[in-house]
Amino acid sequence: MNIEILEMEETRAKLLIYNAEPQTVNALRRTLIADIPKMAIEYVDFHLGPIGSGEGGRVADGASPLFDEIIAHRLGLIPIPTDLDVFRFRNECEHGPEESCELCTITYTLHKVGPCTVYSGDLEPVNGERYRPKDPLIPIVKLDEGQAIYITAYAILGTAKEHAKWQVTSGVGYQYYPIVSLDSSKCRNCDRCLEVCPKKVFEKVDGQLVVKNPENCNLCGACVKECEGVSVEGDPTKFILQYETDGSLSARETLEKALEILAQRFEDFRESISEMK
Ligand SMILES: [Zn+2]
């Protein structure tokens, strides 16, 4: 399997995969969806009772219009910057599953007094500025006069197999690489294929119809219905795979981790087979 990077942005990637089989590409797709670890808020402590604002000595009640469970759930879905070289799963940490340390947990505090809207950017990382959520404008709750929240939240490493909040990628999909060919002897030069194609695969160059951007084709077949001269097929050994990340990891880090996980899994499988002999 060979991978060529067609587009690589911070949170979005488009890859060309060749010399591959559908099942291998699907294994990569499933690994990207379910197996990449990331940090997400899992434990939340709510401080109840009167909370001082600090400004003018106002005292608000430690309560909000939403149930604590809903706030905890929303906090869990906020993408948390993850450094896979630093963090390990809590149950793999030396201290055991009941304790925590800086290698397995990011601690955040959140202290807001209404009236205001509480955003993801109000989470104060205790472990260091680099763990501040990259998107600061995700709304969590709106507080009215006299309401306040004072929260300590703990993010730990997990994978999407356990809960979707640990899912790094979204919109992961692949398609066969399109082979678009033109048979000029059957083409009536009606330009209908040019008009119906939603992906602008065809172009007119010096009055002659040409296949300009074959990799844009999504195999919809609209052109084939219009003209006998056009044929569109998928190459079963060549694929275009696309995905996005939620920002907790970059698209490149996600791909590297996915390939590392897959290689390890195949290695484990090979070892198990050889032990059976
Ligand atoms: Zn630890």
Side-chain angles (χ1 to χ4, degrees):
M1 184 166 98
N2 303 66
I3 297 180
E4 189 183 307
I5 293 168
L6 298 176
E7 289 166 31
M8 183 61 77
E9 293 168 23
E10 179 62 21
T11 60
R12 212 180 68 79
K14 189 173 180 183
L15 313 171
L16 175 66
I17 301 174
Y18 53 98
N19 292 334
E21 290 157 339
Q23 55 268 36
T24 331
V25 184
N26 197 39
L28 177 60
R29 182 188 71 92
R30 294 184 62 121
T31 306
L32 283 168
I33 293 173
D35 297 327
I36 313 291
K38 67 168 258 196
M39 300 297 277
I41 290 175
E42 170 72 345
Y43 304 103
V44 184
D45 287 338
F46 290 87
H47 302 257
L48 304 174
I51 294 170
S53 72
E55 300 158 15
R58 279 185 301 139
V59 175
D61 198 19
S64 79
L66 294 182
F67 290 117
D68 292 353
E69 296 91 314
I70 296 176
I71 293 178
H73 180 249
R74 289 186 161 197
L75 289 171
L77 295 172
I78 293 169
I80 301 289
T82 300
D83 187 343
L84 290 177
D85 291 332
V86 172
F87 294 110
R88 49 175 95 144
F89 290 100
R90 188 177 265 195
N91 58 2
E92 289 172 7
C93 224
E94 288 157 5
H95 47 63
E98 299 303 318
E99 307 276 321
S100 69
C101 73
E102 292 219 326
L103 295 177
C104 62
T105 308
I106 308 175
T107 307
Y108 291 93
T109 59
L110 179 55
H111 184 190
K112 289 287 273 190
V113 176
C116 68
T117 304
V118 183
Y119 292 100
S120 50
D122 295 321
L123 283 166
E124 293 294 333
V126 176
N127 300 43
E129 267 309 297
R130 64 191 182 122
Y131 298 120
R132 189 173 286 280
K134 280 186 186 158
D135 185 345
L137 289 177
I138 304 169
I140 299 165
V141 61
K142 248 180 181 171
L143 298 176
D144 208 344
E145 187 71 48
Q147 295 179 330
I149 52 171
Y150 192 4
I151 281 171
T152 313
Y154 306 92
I156 63 168
L157 206 58
T159 66
K161 273 186 182 154
E162 210 175 321
H163 192 288
K165 69 181 175 183
W166 281 297
Q167 185 169 325
V168 177
T169 54
S170 53
V172 191
Y174 64 87
Q175 64 164 70
Y176 289 143
Y177 192 86
I179 307 169
V180 186
S181 40
L182 271 177
D183 183 347
S184 49
S185 64
K186 287 183 188 161
C187 177
R188 287 169 279 120
N189 256 328
C190 66
D191 294 347
R192 279 293 295 155
C193 55
L194 198 80
E195 289 158 25
V196 295
C197 178
K199 296 290 183 180
K200 309 271 176 269
V201 169
F202 304 97
E203 217 170 80
K204 206 88 184 204
V205 177
D206 299 331
Q208 194 66 41
L209 192 71
V210 291
V211 183
K212 182 77 178 171
N213 307 303
E215 71 278 3
N216 284 2
C217 174
N218 62 359
L219 306 174
C220 73
C223 55
V224 179
K225 285 189 200 130
E226 294 293 334
C227 177
E228 285 174 17
V230 187
S231 73
V232 176
E233 284 173 280
D235 182 341
T237 67
K238 208 170 169 187
F239 306 83
I240 294 174
L241 183 134
Q242 302 188 65
Y243 61 91
E244 289 178 22
T245 79
D246 65 357
S248 51
L249 290 161
S250 71
R252 183 176 289 273
E253 286 170 321
T254 307
L255 177 64
E256 284 168 359
K257 189 68 190 172
L259 294 172
E260 184 192 314
I261 291 170
L262 266 184
Q264 184 61 48
R265 195 168 296 159
F266 287 134
E267 192 50 46
D268 292 348
F269 186 60
R270 203 173 288 141
E271 267 174 37
S272 314
I273 295 281
S274 64
E275 278 167 22
M276 280 168 71
K277 285 179 193 165

